[in-house]
Every structure is written in C-alpha cells, then in structure tokens.
Amino acid sequence: MTLNELTQVFDTVNFGLVVLDREIKIQYWNRWMAMHSGLPSDQIIGEPLFDFFPHLSTPGFNKNCKSVLSFGNFAFFSQKLHRFLFPFKPDSSFGYRFDLMQQSCTMGPLRSDDNSISGLFLIVQDVTELATYEQKLVEMNTKDALTGIYNRRYLESRLQEEFERHRRHSHPLSLIMIDIDFFKKVNDNYGHQCGDVVLQAVAEKTAAVIRKTDFVARYGGEEFCCLLPETAVDAAEIIAENIRTHIEQIENIFEGNCIKVTISLGISGLAAEDSPETLLKRADDALYQAKHSGRNRFIRL
Amino acid sequence: MIKKILLVDDSPISRRIMKSCIPKDRDYELFEAGDGLAGFETYKEIRPDVTFMDLTMPIMDGSESTAKIREFNPEAVVIVCTADIQIKSITNVLELGAFMVMKKPPSKETVEDALLKAEEHIG
Amino acid sequence: MDYCLDIISDEEKEILQEIMNIAFGKAAADLAEVINIFVVLSVPKIEILNSQDLPSYLKTEVSEYERVSIVEQNFWGDFKGSAFLVFQASAGRELVSLFGDNSDDFGSESIEALEKETLMEVGNILIGACVGKLSELLGDAVTYSPPRVVTENTHNDAIPANIFESGSSAIVLKTVFCFNERNVNGFLFLVTSNDSILWLKKSLVTFMEQYE
C-alpha cells in the first residue's frame, strides 16, 4: 500500500487522527479533525497543538504525553473522566444532552526504525450517543419515575458512601424521614391521579427547599428521605421546619378542588456507634413518634 | 595501583556481567561474594583495593555492608552498582561513604571509567 | 507438571531476573523524573506455572488483602501477555488524593467512578513503565489494550478462572510496589504464555551476548 492510499483511508475513517512530534507540534491532522475543528490541515500542520487548543496544556495531559514519549505506553482519556479533549460541536443536535461532543481518546507512541520514540498519535472517537444512552440508563436506575427525584436504591447506596466518609472524618451527618399526613384520604377522596399530583408537588417543593449539597429521595409510597451531609441535628431541625412550613402552604389544584396536605418528619443525627441502618431506623422511629403526637411536626431522636 | 577487586552481588548473572566489563589486560585479581555479610567478611580477609557493591541483597543489604566496610576501613573504595537509581537511594549510599554510584547494567566504558576514577583517588 | 519447570533453565531465570531488576529500576527512576510519581519496586520474583494453577497462585499471593481492586491490561508484541496490578480495595481513595488532577471537573460522577478511573490511569502508567522498560531491554516494542478495572469483595471473584487455555504454561513475574508518599502498595504480576517463551529465551541469549 502506498502512503497516498493510506492517507485516503485516514481521511475517510469516522474518527479523529492526530500525529504530534516530541515537541507536541502537529504533524498530521486528518479530515475528520479538520471538519470538526474548522481548522484545515494545511493551516495547522507544523504548529504547536497548544497554540490552537491552549486548554489542553494541563498537568494531566502533559504528564500523559511525557509518559507515552518516555515509556511508549498508551494513555486513555475516557469520556467519564475527561468528557472530551477537543471542544467540538456534536454531530447532530437531536436527542443529545451535551453541548459538546463527548470523546474517548487514545494516545500512543510512534517509533522510528531504531525503535526510539519519535512522536505520538492521538485517536479521537465520538461517543456522544453512547454517553447519552448511558446517562439515560443511569437516570432510569437512580431516579423515581413519578416524581423525578432519586429513588430508594440510590439513597441507600449514597447513604453508605456518605456514612463512611463522615465517620472517617468525624463530621456531622443528618437524616430526615418525611411522611405525608392522611395521604390515604387524598387517594380515597380524589383518586390516585390526584395522589400523584400531591406526591409530585411535595417532592418538587422539598427538593427546592433543601440546600444544594443535600438531597432527597422517594423512600416508599408517600415517604421521602433527605440526606444532609456536614449537618448537625440542630441545623437539620431548621431545615425540617422549613420543609414543613413550605409543604403546608402548597395549594394543589385538582379538578377544581384545592387540596392541602401536611407532613410529619423524623430527624436523626450520626452518632459514634451508628451504622447506616441504625441511623435510618432512628429517623423512622422519630417519624413514628411525630405521627403519634399529632402529626404536622418534627421529632428528633 | 588497583590489584584486587571484590564483587558483591547476590545474582551470579550480575557478577558475570560485571566481570565481563572489567578490563582483562590488567591482571586484576577478582573475588566474589553473594550477599552483604559475606561481602564484608571477604573484604576484611582480602582487603581489596576496590569493591563493587549491589544494593538489594539478602542477609545484609548493600547499604549496610558499605557502612560496615567504611567503618572497618575509612579509606575503603566502594562503588555501588545498582538498578535502584532513584535520587533518594543514591544520596543515601553516598552519605554512607560510597565512592560513587553506577547504574546497572554496567558497560565496559562505565566500569573502566569508574576504575580510572578510583585509581586517581587511591593515587 | 514437570514439563513446566523445564521450559526455562535456572540460568535463564537468573538472567531474566537481572533484566527485570534493571528494567524496574529504570522504570521507577523515570517515573520519578519524568512525571513525579515516586514508587518503590521490590526485587522481582519469577515463577513458572502450569496455567491451570495460575488463578490459585494469584489468589494465594494476594490473600493478605480482604478486598481487592485489580487493573488488568494486555500487551502485545513478541513479548505478549497480561499485566495484573492488584491493590487493596481501599487504595482507590488514596490514589485519588495522590494523583487526582484538580484541573478537571468531575461533575456529578460518583466517588466510586472517580476512584475507578484513577486506578485505571495509575495502573496504565505503572504497567506501561514496567512492561515498556522490560520489553525495551529485550529488544521489543509492545502495544497495549485499554486497562480494565475490577473491584470485588474477595479475590476469589476478581481473579478470572481461565486466564490462559489449560495445558499451556505461564511465566509469572511478580513485584511488590509501594507509592512511598502515601504508603499505598500492591502487587504487579506480568504473566506471559507459551507463545512468548521461545522468543524470550532467544532475547535472553542476545542480551547476554553483549557481555561475553
């Protein structure tokens, strides 16, 4: 095969191909790269890569270049960790959730006849579609379909993670269990569709009231759970009270009726002897007490 | 004048490589030892002019053996020959009194150069 | 089983040992100099095994770790095989704080995913440096598959039962490494199969010829 033939192949393949010399100057830039960057190859060849893409000159990228040039290993820039190396527009704007093309890139050595490493190559693959699917899958797995907040499975894995992190650093961690009062009556009087509207409203309001670092999940039927990292129970009480007052003010309009609900809340804070299970159990016990001492209130244990 | 050379290395292959790099035309008397302790014992017995010393060895490592030899004879010329060429390890053995450090594998050139430097030093 | 022991002689084993020693010394020195990774590599050990015994060998070797993370990477050349880097599962966290590139925004990725990616990057570089220097001394240049990370509760689940087809033999090169700034340590196993053995024997002869 001639070089000309090889070049034809390189210019037709559906991925980016870049060759750099030891000074990280561009030696080859295939048509895919030219097309997506808007930089034709005759304009960019011989120029330092970082002149055109200064954001690439990070310690991490440089480390990988040096490593490939001295050890001849391959470096992999996964979409998960890097999102992309080159800021290109996605191929299509339909159905993608990313403003920029998601890329998975591979860097490897190029050797001269005496086996010494003369430069490196970079392969750029468009994985936007794959990343979109993955994101949808993750969402389906971690979010509650009705309310759009996290589901119980995700809460439990997150609780485990946060529990370990907080205990290691002896930081405070609080949990709030929430249950809608007399929810069965809403369902019985107005139907399940109305119940769904109420659940959505409570989820949405709670998510809006808590801080950015907190998060809320639908724990069961009409039960919700908030995880409050770096938060002592005293501060958790303020947040609980804030959620309670906001929920009781919601006016749910369903088929001409205005339905208002209240919630009961149970709070627990991480103690030295706790496990994730006992922390959950105490919040649940507190919720039970709140229910039995008149509802529409919080209890901490 | 260098007459006796002691090679301390646990790997027979490594000693073989080293021997092949030592100039053949100068009638050096070569001695070998397979660990740091044996190296020290042999040193006391034969009093070599130059000792080539590996670092990672069983029973007693090269750093300790170098220190012991230098304690026994503060004038001893110990050339450390090692694959462990990180700055920290090199500074450490130089502080213990090693004459110089050579990286493995040795070559005829590096060994000849080291022997020349040792010769000058001994005078 | 005896045929395993014959495939390379004691002398060849010693030569390989010395070459690995030199290669890993160079790898450690270059890692420190080129990319500021400070790692201590122990004197490598060589085992010749029947490939059926490989999984149980690996399990026994890492049995001190309760949970393990394994970075697996294949390399191809005249010298071909698999590299396994075995860490204690908790090492991921330490490595993130040691190598994490703060200039990147990890967004919503969970800590777990971040640890996995970091293990992959560190593994890739460490394996690349060791295999790269070794094959260089043996006169070869290899290419690599992307690394894969497995984190499991026990090493029983993490180590694949059939790494090589049964009946073949395997040369296992083992070293213990330690990132001395963080006291993160683990094992590196390079496993090469029948296919490479003839080439390996020839390369060992070529290497020694320089010193005849």
Side-chain angles (χ1 to χ4, degrees):
Chain A
M1 228 193 302
T2 65
L3 183 62
N4 182 320
E5 283 169 331
L6 276 178
T7 310
Q8 289 179 44
V9 174
F10 294 155
D11 277 337
T12 357
V13 291
N14 194 24
F15 54 80
L17 190 56
V18 182
V19 172
L20 302 167
D21 66 9
R22 293 190 68 96
E23 277 78 53
I24 318 298
K25 285 190 181 140
I26 298 163
Q27 301 300 303
Y28 179 73
W29 187 254
N30 79 341
R31 198 175 292 163
W32 189 95
M33 289 303 290
M35 196 170 87
H36 287 93
S37 65
L39 294 161
S41 103
D42 55 5
Q43 197 182 315
I44 202 166
I45 281 179
E47 301 296 325
L49 175 72
F50 299 145
D51 281 6
F52 289 87
F53 301 96
H55 71 279
L56 280 180
S57 186
T58 60
F61 189 83
N62 279 303
K63 187 168 78 185
N64 277 306
C65 292
K66 281 184 193 165
S67 161
V68 171
L69 288 172
S70 47
F71 303 118
N73 65 321
F74 283 40
F76 302 93
F77 301 86
S78 66
Q79 183 270 334
K80 267 218 170 58
L81 202 57
H82 299 268
R83 308 270 179 261
F84 55 84
L85 284 184
F86 296 93
F88 296 159
K89 284 252 164 288
D91 247 351
S92 152
S93 46
F94 293 112
Y96 288 166
R97 302 171 168 206
F98 301 98
D99 295 334
L100 291 170
M101 179 197 287
Q102 301 296 294
Q103 296 160 359
S104 166
C105 304
T106 308
M107 186 191 275
L110 288 172
R111 294 177 186 270
S112 20
D113 293 337
D114 64 352
N115 238 351
S116 66
I117 299 166
S118 54
L120 47 87
F121 67 83
L122 200 54
I123 289 171
V124 184
Q125 275 179 294
D126 177 359
V127 293
T128 315
E129 197 166 347
L130 216 65
T132 305
Y133 283 136
E134 195 187 345
Q135 223 180 49
K136 280 185 190 159
L137 260 174
V138 168
E139 237 163 65
M140 278 162 63
N141 239 327
T142 56
K143 296 265 171 89
D144 172 57
L146 176 68
T147 59
I149 60 176
Y150 290 110
N151 61 17
R152 178 171 176 168
R153 187 204 337 234
Y154 183 72
L155 172 95
E156 280 169 350
S157 73
R158 223 7 227 281
L159 176 60
Q160 186 73 42
E161 245 175 53
E162 294 292 339
F163 171 80
E164 276 169 21
R165 188 165 69 85
H166 283 75
R167 205 176 48 176
R168 198 169 46 244
H169 302 297
S170 309
H171 287 181
L173 172 70
S174 294
L175 210 62
I176 306 176
M177 280 294 238
I178 301 171
D179 192 87
I180 304 177
D181 299 328
F182 301 115
F183 184 70
K184 196 173 172 303
K185 280 190 184 158
V186 177
N187 273 333
D188 291 348
N189 295 344
Y190 305 99
H192 284 282
Q193 269 179 312
C194 179
D196 287 352
V197 170
V198 171
L199 284 171
Q200 283 165 338
V202 170
E204 191 186 328
K205 183 56 80 182
T206 308
V209 167
I210 57 174
R211 300 160 305 182
K212 230 181 150 179
T213 48
D214 305 332
F215 83 105
V216 59
R218 186 169 173 208
Y219 196 72
E222 69 268 23
E223 235 181 314
F224 298 88
C225 182
C226 294
L227 185 61
L228 314 174
E230 313 289 336
T231 308
V233 268
D234 286 341
E237 280 190 7
I238 298 169
I239 293 168
E241 181 57 15
N242 199 14
I243 299 172
R244 193 194 63 76
T245 53
H246 275 86
I247 300 290
E248 72 177 352
Q249 283 162 23
I250 304 176
E251 299 187 338
N252 294 293
I253 309 296
F254 185 79
E255 291 173 352
N257 298 304
C258 176
I259 299 121
K260 295 182 81 166
V261 292
T262 59
I263 52 172
S264 300
L265 308 93
I267 307 170
S268 65
L270 185 63
E273 66 283 358
D274 261 328
S275 67
E277 292 73 30
T278 57
L279 186 64
L280 264 172
K281 174 82 169 45
R282 262 208 321 287
D284 217 31
D285 291 346
L287 173 62
Y288 184 80
Q289 286 188 23
K291 286 271 180 199
H292 284 266
S293 51
R295 296 186 171 82
N296 193 18
R297 69 192 58 204
F298 67 79
I299 297 277
R300 73 181 246 192
L301 275 180
Chain B
M1 266 289 277
I2 300 172
K3 283 199 183 98
K4 292 180 192 170
I5 298 175
L6 170 61
L7 310 178
V8 188
D9 199 312
D10 57 324
S11 156
I13 293 298
S14 187
R15 295 200 299 267
R16 199 163 107 200
I17 291 175
M18 186 50 112
K19 272 192 279 184
S20 81
C21 295
I22 294 173
K24 311 263 178 302
D25 52 353
R26 298 201 204 144
D27 297 321
Y28 294 126
E29 248 186 289
L30 300 183
F31 300 86
E32 297 180 35
D35 65 75
L37 186 61
F40 178 49
E41 297 300 333
T42 317
Y43 183 91
K44 286 192 289 191
E45 194 185 313
I46 62 154
R47 295 296 211 99
D49 304 295
V50 172
T51 305
F52 285 100
M53 176 78 70
D54 181 27
L55 284 187
T56 34
M57 286 183 289
I59 305 172
M60 182 192 284
D61 70 25
S63 318
E64 197 182 339
S65 185
T66 302
K68 280 217 153 35
I69 291 174
R70 293 278 300 178
E71 195 185 323
F72 176 78
N73 173 14
E75 298 297 309
V77 175
V78 180
I79 298 173
V80 168
C81 188
T82 177
D84 179 8
I85 45 174
Q86 297 203 51
I87 304 290
K88 230 163 89 184
S89 325
I90 293 176
T91 354
N92 180 40
V93 289
L94 289 178
E95 271 166 16
L96 290 175
F99 176 65
M100 65 183 285
V101 177
M102 274 173 55
K103 73 174 179 188
K104 280 185 176 181
S107 67
K108 286 198 165 68
E109 292 73 37
T110 54
V111 171
E112 191 148 10
D113 183 56
L115 287 172
L116 219 64
K117 286 204 176 100
E119 189 95 62
E120 270 169 31
H121 176 80
I122 299 165
Chain C
M1 288 272 276
D2 276 352
Y3 75 100
C4 283
L5 307 171
D6 299 336
I7 56 171
I8 70 170
S9 67
D10 283 350
E11 188 183 86
E12 284 169 329
K13 212 164 149 177
E14 269 164 19
I15 298 171
L16 183 57
Q17 177 106 35
E18 190 55 25
I19 292 176
M20 280 179 72
N21 208 5
I22 296 166
F24 289 4
K26 276 190 173 162
D30 281 5
L31 282 169
E33 196 185 329
V34 182
I35 41 183
N36 289 317
I37 290 181
F38 295 92
V39 62
V40 179
L41 295 155
S42 77
V43 178
K45 271 178 69 179
I46 299 167
E47 303 278 351
I48 317 292
L49 299 171
N50 191 313
S51 67
Q52 281 122 293
D53 304 329
L54 191 57
S56 62
Y57 164 81
L58 292 177
K59 278 171 204 167
T60 317
E61 287 294 311
V62 302
S63 59
E64 67 188 78
Y65 295 163
E66 210 177 297
R67 293 181 63 220
V68 296
S69 294
I70 299 183
V71 184
E72 179 194 358
Q73 193 166 22
N74 299 322
F75 48 93
W76 280 290
D78 286 327
F79 182 41
K80 60 171 160 267
S82 304
F84 299 95
L85 206 53
V86 186
F87 293 94
Q88 202 151 5
S90 57
R93 240 171 260 266
E94 294 288 340
L95 291 176
V96 170
S97 51
L98 194 53
F99 300 110
D101 188 351
N102 297 326
S103 62
D104 280 323
D105 173 23
F106 299 112
S108 60
E109 288 307 333
S110 73
I111 297 170
E112 206 182 316
L114 180 59
E115 281 178 24
K116 205 169 163 175
E117 295 295 319
T118 307
L119 273 172
M120 210 124 80
E121 292 214 344
V122 174
N124 184 42
I125 289 181
L126 192 58
I127 291 170
C130 292
V131 174
K133 288 293 168 194
L134 186 56
S135 55
E136 195 180 295
L137 280 174
L138 294 169
D140 189 23
V142 298
T143 54
Y144 305 84
S145 71
R148 213 168 62 88
V149 174
V150 190
T151 304
E152 289 296 345
N153 284 324
T154 64
H155 28 81
N156 281 326
D157 302 324
I159 294 169
N162 43 357
I163 302 168
F164 292 133
E165 60 212 88
S166 56
S168 66
S169 31
I171 303 183
V172 184
L173 315 173
K174 174 197 160 192
T175 184
V176 182
F177 62 89
C178 173
F179 293 104
N180 43 2
E181 277 172 47
R182 285 274 160 167
N183 205 29
V184 177
N185 48 34
F187 296 100
L188 171 64
F189 298 99
L190 302 180
V191 183
T192 177
S193 68
N194 267 352
D195 306 348
S196 291
I197 288 174
L198 270 182
W199 167 83
L200 186 61
K201 283 159 126 21
K202 224 160 73 191
S203 307
L204 295 178
V205 173
T206 314
F207 180 83
M208 284 311 286
E209 271 168 2
Q210 315 172 58
Y211 302 107
E212 295 304 320

